[in-house]
Amino acid sequence: MDLSVYLAYDYPVLGAFWTVMWIFLWVMWLFLLFRIIVDVFRDHEMSGWLKAVWVLFLLLIPFLGVLVYVIARGKDMGKREVQHAQERQDAFNSYIRETVKDPGRAGADDLVRLSELKAKGDLSEEEFQKAKQKLLG
């Protein structure tokens, strides 16, 4: 009966290094593949048929497809990413502007300030009612 013991030196450090390196490269390649697929669908200048051809090329011959895409269209990938980030930032800024300009919210804040002034005694009841009527229309 063979009672051999497997120790850590049975799997050399260099072998572990190569394993980790190949896993890292595989993950990076998958990341690049999905990044390219996102870029294909994000490009508004490309027609639907051309997008379908690129996706088929990427799925049927993935390594060659990624290499060809990066060579042919890689330069503009960064520009499209910056453009997309700018569009998202503009949409966020317009949302913030619309939220801040909400007339119902501004009127409520003004009414709170008026009631605080009245509570401190800076406004009389008559002045408070006039200002309140003016705010409410």
Side-chain angles (χ1 to χ4, degrees):
M1 178 169 250
D2 186 26
L3 295 175
S4 59
V5 177
Y6 294 103
L7 300 176
Y9 58 82
D10 288 334
Y11 191 71
V13 175
L14 186 60
F17 170 76
W18 284 114
T19 302
V20 170
M21 188 192 74
W22 283 112
I23 291 172
F24 175 75
L25 289 175
W26 179 254
V27 169
M28 289 302 296
W29 181 81
L30 285 175
F31 177 77
L32 182 61
L33 177 67
F34 289 119
R35 176 68 183 90
I36 287 173
I37 290 173
V38 167
D39 186 63
V40 165
F41 285 107
R42 185 177 288 162
D43 190 4
H44 299 294
E45 297 172 1
M46 195 184 308
S47 70
W49 288 105
L50 190 56
K51 288 179 184 184
V53 168
W54 270 114
V55 169
L56 279 174
F57 188 45
L58 288 168
L59 293 176
L60 295 177
I61 312 170
F63 290 109
L64 183 63
V66 166
L67 182 65
V68 170
Y69 190 87
V70 169
I71 291 171
R73 299 181 45 89
K75 184 178 181 182
D76 296 332
M77 283 177 69
K79 292 177 186 175
R80 283 188 291 276
E81 181 64 31
V82 168
Q83 179 184 4
H84 180 68
Q86 186 64 41
E87 289 170 359
R88 286 186 307 192
Q89 185 65 40
D90 291 343
F92 177 74
N93 289 342
S94 68
Y95 170 75
I96 294 296
R97 280 190 212 100
E98 292 299 319
T99 303
V100 169
K101 289 182 184 179
D102 184 16
R105 179 73 180 144
D109 291 340
D110 291 340
L111 284 175
V112 168
R113 275 190 236 113
L114 280 176
S115 65
E116 288 173 355
L117 288 173
K118 181 184 170 210
K120 285 196 282 185
D122 293 338
L123 288 177
S124 67
E125 180 66 33
E126 182 181 332
E127 292 171 330
F128 174 74
Q129 291 300 328
K130 283 182 184 178
K132 184 171 125 180
Q133 289 300 324
K134 185 178 175 182
L135 281 176
L136 296 178

